[in-house]
Amino acid sequence: MKPKFMGLILAVAVALTGATFGQNSGQAPVGQNRERVRDQLATLRLLRMTQALDLTEEQTSKIFPAINKFEKDKSALQREISANIRELRGLLKDPVVLKDDQINPLLAAIKAGRDKVRAIDAELETFVESNLTTLQKAKYILFNIEFMRSLTDVLNRSGQRGAAFAPVKKR
């Protein structure tokens, strides 16, 4: 890969990592920060994927817009799921007055939303693989594993994993 392009990828990766895992300066609400972090991670993932799979310009021009569309669709679904989870938590705060007629629709909506997210992921993977060579497909599988592993490592090292994946407290 060309040194200029590698330098660009490295610069963007450093900038994104710093912005993503730096401390919140209190300028933007938490929800906006989460959305910005997701966008930055998606961009970082695309840049690293381009490098790892050695994508051609033609492949990149097909895959990137599709990934962006799929990610926007997933993000909208995840916002709906989050809203339903917040509502469910609110209902569960008063266990004496549990309302099955209110809880069951939320449970169904959460499950349906999660199923839709999984379907989008499967559709995205099928689309990406349809635009890759056999060698790139193999690299794509390994890339996904390594990217998630390195992301987990960064979160663990930064001490934010506990905050991001805090266990549910039992009362």
Side-chain angles (χ1 to χ4, degrees):
M1 196 162 282
K2 296 179 181 170
K4 256 188 188 179
F5 187 66
M6 290 294 292
L8 174 66
I9 288 176
L10 183 60
V12 170
V14 168
L16 290 176
T17 304
T20 301
F21 299 111
Q23 291 189 353
N24 182 1
S25 61
Q27 295 171 349
V30 173
Q32 287 178 350
N33 283 338
R34 283 188 184 141
E35 192 67 32
R36 195 177 88 233
V37 168
R38 278 190 203 112
D39 290 344
Q40 291 171 341
L41 283 173
T43 301
L44 178 61
R45 184 174 181 275
L46 289 174
L47 290 172
R48 288 197 176 165
M49 187 173 81
T50 300
Q51 180 185 14
L53 276 57
D54 197 24
L55 296 177
T56 64
E57 286 182 32
E58 183 180 334
Q59 287 172 314
T60 302
S61 69
K62 287 180 183 176
I63 293 172
F64 279 26
I67 287 177
N68 286 329
K69 181 198 176 304
F70 283 112
E71 289 299 326
K72 278 184 182 179
D73 293 348
K74 261 180 39 176
S75 183
L77 281 170
Q78 288 166 334
R79 280 191 299 274
E80 289 176 27
I81 293 168
S82 292
N84 287 329
I85 289 172
R86 278 190 301 277
E87 189 175 342
L88 181 62
R89 280 191 179 123
L91 288 174
L92 295 177
K93 281 184 180 178
D94 188 5
V96 176
V97 191
L98 290 178
K99 304 156 191 89
D100 286 353
D101 59 326
Q102 291 176 312
I103 293 173
N104 285 329
L106 287 173
L107 293 175
I110 292 167
K111 185 179 182 324
R114 291 172 58 194
D115 289 345
K116 287 178 186 176
V117 168
R118 282 196 276 294
I120 288 172
D121 283 337
E123 188 178 350
L124 172 60
E125 190 161 323
T126 300
F127 175 80
V128 170
E129 287 182 354
S130 72
N131 286 285
L132 300 176
T133 65
T134 302
L135 179 61
Q136 287 173 323
K137 288 176 188 178
K139 288 180 179 181
Y140 180 65
I141 288 172
L142 297 177
F143 166 77
N144 283 327
I145 293 167
E146 289 302 316
F147 185 81
M148 292 309 293
R149 185 175 292 151
S150 66
L151 182 59
T152 301
D153 289 346
V154 168
L155 289 172
N156 284 335
R157 281 193 309 266
S158 70
Q160 293 183 2
R161 181 171 166 71
F165 301 104
V168 176
K169 293 179 184 176
K170 293 183 180 179
R171 295 178 190 207

